[in-house]
Amino acid sequence: MAARGAHPSLYISVDIEADGPIPGPYSMISFGASVAGRQDGASYTAADPQQLTFYRELRPISEEFVPEALAVSGLDRDRLVREGADPAVAMAEFRAWVREVSVGAQPVMCGYPASFDWTFLYWYLIRFGGDSPFGHSGCLDMKTLYAVKARVPLRAAVKGRMPRELLSRRRHTHHALDDAVEQAELMNNLMLWNPPPAPAPAAGGSSPLITHLAWGRIEAEGLAAGKDFRLYPGGGRPWDWSEHGTRHDPGIQPGEVREFLDLGVTAVVLTRGMEGRLGVAPKTLEVLRAAGVEVHVAQTAEAVEIYNRLAATERVAGLFHSTC
């Protein structure tokens, strides 16, 4: 018997807004969908994300809600209680729309990230109608797609670290249809993106271990002993606080860590000194977290232990101060 060929995939970008973290106790209050493109074998054809779309605002299914979650969408919950679509009717209309636009192809929901949106969407499809046009696993996570193509850890797959040409020029408004269209453009750009080849691993590309710490003295692999150090994958150098204006108060400045981001680090260790007198400016933490980098802040002795442990498995960088 001849092998049956795989159906093409039709990628549908979906964004949902909810008034809490999980479906059931909380409600999906709106959702939008946009046809992103079609994949047939190795060929991908992008669609106009504004051409085929779907949007509904839903009546809440419970009395419970988280005010902070509700505020993200800007929707009026009292109005939704009065005027929102019945979930069973909305999901039936959505099923019919998905099947209409995906004739001849297997529909695949895609999201950024897919985990939250798929949880609500699939729950609602099964709870209100018992059927999902995507099956039980027909979803694709754009964060994972980027991480695989860019060869970066998943937690580094954040928009702030993606090449600009991948990103949509549309604003992320937290209106479900606006965001579905924006993410459909990201999906198309990712599917058509051919990243540059990975560079050959550099000699000594791991982060140097700290071999000795004492008051006023740090020793690290491959470096002359010194008082303060910047360490990163492939090497390190003395840490000159005046370069970016770091002082004990207000602390380590954002410019100190931006260099690390260009090296593709997944974790950064910031020391507060041997007695904890060195601060960390809030903006510095914001820069690192916005880039999806794991951040550790500790007094120097503890920070050295964290850094050396991470260096065995991670692309880790750190700022080390050996006095006060």
Side-chain angles (χ1 to χ4, degrees):
M1 179 182 292
R4 186 174 62 181
H7 288 297
S9 294
L10 186 84
Y11 293 101
I12 299 174
S13 169
V14 177
D15 182 82
I16 75 100
E17 298 296 329
D19 62 12
I22 58 172
Y26 304 100
S27 307
M28 180 167 72
I29 53 178
S30 70
F31 71 108
S34 163
V35 172
R38 179 184 177 105
Q39 184 180 19
D40 193 349
S43 174
Y44 183 83
T45 304
D48 177 354
Q50 293 184 291
Q51 189 67 36
L52 297 172
T53 62
F54 185 95
Y55 177 71
R56 292 291 185 274
E57 294 178 358
L58 305 178
R59 185 173 67 238
I61 61 173
S62 80
E63 297 296 322
E64 295 184 55
F65 67 95
V66 177
E68 294 81 4
L70 179 65
V72 170
S73 69
L75 293 173
D76 185 309
R77 199 171 192 276
D78 291 337
R79 180 183 67 78
L80 293 176
V81 170
R82 298 190 309 270
E83 304 173 9
D86 179 274
V89 172
M91 302 322 289
E93 293 172 339
F94 180 60
R95 285 187 202 91
W97 177 83
V98 171
R99 288 175 173 135
E100 178 184 350
V101 300
S102 62
V103 171
Q106 173 64 46
V108 177
M109 176 271 191
C110 55
Y112 181 91
S115 52
F116 179 79
D117 301 82
W118 174 255
T119 298
F120 274 89
L121 183 69
Y122 183 72
W123 190 94
Y124 265 71
L125 285 166
I126 299 304
R127 174 64 179 82
F128 299 104
D131 177 48
S132 165
F134 305 104
H136 69 277
S137 61
C139 65
L140 183 147
D141 178 37
M142 295 183 215
K143 285 174 67 69
T144 302
L145 177 60
Y146 173 75
V148 171
K149 280 199 157 192
R151 302 176 295 272
V152 300
L154 186 61
R155 65 170 167 264
V158 294
K159 291 180 181 178
R161 297 183 70 173
M162 291 182 183
R164 288 184 178 273
E165 65 267 21
L166 293 181
L167 302 176
S168 171
R169 295 184 180 181
R170 301 175 188 274
R171 292 176 55 241
H172 194 80
T173 66
H174 292 291
H175 182 285
L177 183 55
D178 288 349
D179 293 352
V181 170
E182 176 221 350
Q183 290 167 186
E185 291 186 346
L186 173 61
M187 176 66 183
N188 288 339
N189 293 339
L190 283 169
M191 289 296 285
L192 297 171
W193 181 45
N194 291 311
S206 60
S207 303
L209 295 178
I210 295 174
T211 57
H212 179 74
L213 171 68
W215 185 275
R217 183 181 177 88
I218 296 174
E219 296 177 15
E221 294 176 331
L223 301 171
K227 174 186 172 187
D228 297 328
F229 275 103
R230 307 173 61 83
L231 301 178
Y232 41 79
R237 66 178 190 272
W239 178 19
D240 179 0
W241 288 19
S242 66
E243 185 176 350
H244 295 287
T246 288
R247 298 289 184 272
H248 284 94
D249 184 18
I252 299 171
Q253 294 299 296
E256 304 282 11
V257 300
R258 289 196 172 100
E259 166 189 333
F260 296 153
L261 301 183
D262 295 335
L263 298 173
V265 300
T266 57
V268 168
V269 178
L270 304 176
T271 58
R272 300 205 57 220
M274 300 289 271
E275 297 178 346
R277 296 184 186 179
L278 174 59
V280 180
K283 182 65 176 177
T284 303
L285 299 177
E286 291 176 19
V287 167
L288 292 170
R289 288 167 180 160
V293 173
E294 178 183 331
V295 186
H296 299 268
V297 179
Q299 289 179 271
T300 303
E302 180 184 356
V304 167
E305 293 181 5
I306 294 170
Y307 169 84
N308 280 345
R309 183 178 70 250
L310 291 174
T313 58
E314 300 264 0
R315 289 185 63 80
V316 62
L319 297 170
F320 297 93
H321 178 47
S322 66
T323 60
C324 53

